[in-house]
Amino acid sequence: LYQHFTNMSPSFYQKRRIGDLMAHATNDLQAIQQTAGVGVLTFVDSLSTGGFVICAMAFTISWKLTLICLIPMPFMVILTSWFGTMLHRTFYQAQEAFSSLNDKTQESITGIKVIKTFGQEKEDIEDFRKQSEDVVQKNITVAKIDSLFDPTISIIVGISFFLSIVFGSRYVLNGELTIGQLLSFTTYLGLLIWPMLAFGWLFNIVERGRASYDRVSLLLQEKVDITDHEDALNVVPAGKIEFDLAKFTYPGETEPVLKDIQFSLQAGETLGIVGKTGAGKTTLLKLLIREFDSYQGEITFGEKTLPAYKLEKLREAIGYVPQDHFLFSATVGENIAFTNPNASKEEVENAAKLANIHDDILQFVDDYHTVVGERGVSLSGGQKQRISIARAILMNPEVLVLDDSLSAVDAKTEEAILSSLRQNREGKTTIITSHRLSAIQHANLILVLEEGKIVERGTHEALMELGGWYKQMYLRQQLEELVEHGGH
């Protein structure tokens, strides 16, 4: 299941909640494990013990009396099967309720700052209480059905005892059995109580496991969207990147996000992509790293289409720094070395220097050995951004993609980072999306996107001469920066 999670594409995680997936990986797997472990052992135990006892009763005492005592058993099978069906349905619902509670808990803990900032603690606790009560009620329903198994089996076994005494007494009077044989028979019948109870318990475990298995199976049946072609090349791509994209629409949507995107980027050049929020900048980058394949047109890297390469090799060529900077609950050094765990201390520090974060790290309590906390909670937005950039730089990729990754740093730091990249990534391609135009004005090619289309293209100078959206935004940002510095 975990391997399946790692293979799934982003669209899978857009449809599924993290808490729900965690519940599948914990509670559901535990129920399946119970069935596969204790359930199988109980099945073998009840079957072998019950079988030996019935054979001993039939072959050593009286086969007729044995058959009579087994008459109630089909009723037990019918009733336990009916209880099992109800248990399967109610346990499935109980597991779904637990998934919702798990998701609620995970979401609340992640967003605890927002909850406290807006003073919504009481409302959140009340919501949690209601969901907890729902889980409790559904599990009580499961427990009620569960509690029917043992009494039902005990009654059936009791009826078998009654039949053995009634008909056994007749056989004793008729001389077909001795009193000693009848006592032995009832003793054997007493030995059947455990296998019968175990059989009911087995039904219970199996139905719980089956309900959880159904939930997990639905996950495992989800197909991986992005896969390697049979003849995919096992080489890291390099060279020119070309987009000849007619249209791309997100799965399940009707309106295309990108339309008529054509451009070419030579190896070693820098591409800048700008535009309003929602213009399609990040989507274009997602297509480059093959998060989606369902587009009309062609994207080539080194004269070959993206699917021509193995996915692992394609992504080895691209160092992607997303807008949402995720840091692991590890040290600063381990976070930077994530893309290259065997990197030396000097290589890690050099990457940090290029990302202009080295001096900040030295100010931390344990410098590179400082634990940043889950998701980098102890760091500022700018620090997280620069550590993420350092992580990508250490990978030394053919293409470095910065997806609005300089938004949390000031203009001076931004210029220092970009200057370092220009000096140290000679011959390698860089793609930058940004709302701040100063971050891309040095680019060899700048694309201005609007509603998924390229409305302006060219160098900074060419776009300034054009006098369109780019020039207006550039002048406005220059004026804002001037005001921020007191008009100097």
Side-chain angles (χ1 to χ4, degrees):
L1 181 65
Y2 187 79
Q3 185 179 18
H4 186 67
F5 286 164
T6 60
N7 289 335
M8 296 309 290
S9 57
S11 59
F12 172 82
Y13 293 99
Q14 288 168 2
K15 293 183 289 183
R16 302 280 178 175
R17 300 170 302 174
I18 294 173
D20 190 32
L21 297 178
M22 288 171 64
H24 281 88
T26 52
N27 251 29
D28 283 323
L29 289 191
Q30 189 177 12
I32 295 168
Q33 184 188 14
Q34 281 285 98
T35 305
V38 178
V40 170
L41 290 174
T42 305
F43 173 72
V44 174
D45 184 17
S46 59
L47 195 66
S48 57
T49 305
F52 283 130
V53 169
I54 290 169
C55 288
M57 291 161 62
F59 295 115
T60 65
I61 300 176
S62 170
W63 65 269
K64 287 191 290 185
L65 189 57
T66 302
L67 285 176
I68 290 168
C69 291
L70 291 177
I71 287 172
M73 296 305 168
F75 294 101
M76 186 192 75
V77 172
I78 292 168
L79 287 171
T80 52
S81 178
W82 181 45
F83 297 155
T85 303
M86 290 194 297
L87 187 70
H88 180 276
R89 185 179 65 253
T90 54
F91 188 71
Y92 192 100
Q93 292 169 349
Q95 292 294 76
E96 284 189 327
F98 176 78
S99 288
S100 297
L101 180 65
N102 208 38
D103 191 65
K104 162 69 185 170
T105 308
Q106 184 269 335
E107 194 174 61
S108 292
I109 292 172
T110 304
I112 193 67
K113 285 184 178 179
V114 177
I115 292 169
K116 291 175 76 67
T117 301
F118 288 97
Q120 295 295 308
E121 295 95 331
K122 288 182 180 178
E123 289 79 2
D124 194 64
I125 290 168
E126 178 62 20
D127 189 25
F128 181 85
R129 187 189 62 77
K130 286 179 181 176
Q131 291 202 33
S132 295
E133 283 182 1
D134 183 49
V135 173
V136 169
Q137 289 305 317
K138 285 188 167 112
N139 277 285
I140 286 174
T141 304
V142 171
K144 285 178 179 177
I145 297 169
D146 186 12
S147 66
L148 295 173
F149 281 94
D150 284 4
T152 302
I153 292 165
S154 297
I155 290 168
I156 298 294
V157 172
I159 294 170
S160 293
F161 265 106
F162 177 75
L163 292 174
S164 71
I165 297 298
V166 171
F167 286 92
S169 300
R170 287 188 179 183
Y171 290 151
V172 169
L173 292 174
N174 293 339
E176 293 182 42
L177 288 177
T178 65
I179 291 177
Q181 285 177 315
L182 181 57
L183 285 171
S184 296
F185 189 89
T186 55
T187 304
Y188 277 131
L189 199 57
L191 293 174
L192 265 184
I193 293 175
W194 157 244
M196 293 302 104
L197 290 174
F199 187 71
W201 190 49
L202 170 66
F203 246 102
N204 187 326
I205 292 176
V206 167
E207 289 305 329
R208 288 170 181 257
R210 198 160 69 87
S212 288
Y213 186 75
D214 287 348
R215 280 165 48 84
V216 173
S217 291
L218 286 173
L219 284 182
L220 294 175
Q221 286 167 15
E222 292 262 3
K223 300 295 182 185
V224 180
D225 294 340
I226 311 298
T227 55
D228 288 332
H229 292 191
E230 287 183 12
D231 56 348
L233 299 171
N234 193 29
V235 294
V236 178
K240 183 169 67 171
I241 295 173
E242 282 190 284
F243 268 69
D244 186 9
L245 194 70
K247 186 169 66 173
F248 169 70
T249 307
Y250 277 112
E253 300 293 327
T254 54
E255 288 296 314
V257 185
L258 294 174
K259 294 164 282 186
D260 302 322
I261 303 292
Q262 285 96 26
F263 68 88
S264 176
L265 188 65
Q266 298 293 332
E269 289 186 342
T270 296
L271 171 68
I273 307 173
V274 294
K276 298 175 184 176
T277 301
K281 302 185 294 296
T282 299
T283 302
L284 191 146
L285 301 179
K286 285 182 177 180
L287 297 187
L288 179 62
I289 60 175
R290 274 196 77 195
E291 282 196 8
F292 299 94
D293 272 348
S294 55
Y295 52 82
Q296 296 177 20
E298 197 172 69
I299 304 172
T300 61
F301 191 170
E303 307 295 337
K304 291 183 174 61
T305 60
L306 299 184
Y309 301 98
K310 284 195 172 181
L311 190 60
E312 180 186 358
K313 294 299 178 181
L314 172 67
R315 291 182 178 169
E316 276 183 28
I318 302 171
Y320 181 50
V321 185
Q323 293 177 356
D324 181 21
H325 302 280
F326 186 92
L327 297 183
F328 297 94
S329 184
T331 66
V332 173
E334 287 168 341
N335 269 287
I336 294 174
F338 177 74
T339 55
N340 184 7
N342 298 317
S344 64
K345 184 182 177 183
E346 289 73 22
E347 288 174 320
V348 170
E349 289 183 0
N350 186 51
K353 287 173 183 175
L354 291 176
N356 205 39
I357 187 66
H358 176 69
D359 292 339
D360 286 43
I361 294 171
L362 294 181
Q363 301 301 317
F364 295 162
V365 180
D366 298 313
D367 54 73
Y368 282 87
H369 299 287
T370 303
V371 177
V372 299
E374 191 173 3
R375 296 180 68 90
V377 69
S378 60
L379 303 177
S380 70
Q383 288 171 335
K384 282 193 283 189
Q385 279 191 340
R386 284 175 285 159
I387 289 174
S388 297
I389 293 169
R391 180 164 62 191
I393 291 171
L394 185 64
M395 186 180 165
N396 194 26
E398 287 295 324
V399 180
L400 177 64
V401 178
L402 303 178
D403 187 7
D404 202 18
S405 304
L406 298 166
S407 57
V409 299
D410 58 67
K412 186 178 179 182
T413 305
E414 174 194 273
E415 179 53 38
I417 294 170
L418 294 173
S419 178
S420 297
L421 292 178
R422 283 197 295 272
Q423 292 171 17
N424 291 273
R425 282 185 52 78
E426 193 173 344
K428 296 195 173 181
T429 307
T430 304
I431 300 176
I432 304 171
T433 74
S434 180
H435 287 95
R436 191 188 292 163
L437 302 188
S438 57
I440 51 94
Q441 69 182 63
H442 68 283
N444 301 95
L445 173 65
I446 298 171
L447 302 178
V448 179
L449 295 186
E450 186 176 319
E451 296 182 354
K453 290 182 177 180
I454 298 174
V455 291
E456 296 176 30
R457 70 169 71 211
T459 60
H460 171 73
E461 291 76 16
L463 290 173
M464 290 298 286
E465 285 181 17
L466 192 63
W469 181 90
Y470 181 89
K471 181 178 181 180
Q472 291 174 13
M473 283 301 297
Y474 183 80
L475 293 175
R476 184 184 299 172
Q477 289 181 8
Q478 290 292 101
L479 181 61
E480 287 173 357
E481 191 175 332
L482 190 65
V483 171
E484 282 178 10
H485 290 84
H488 299 292

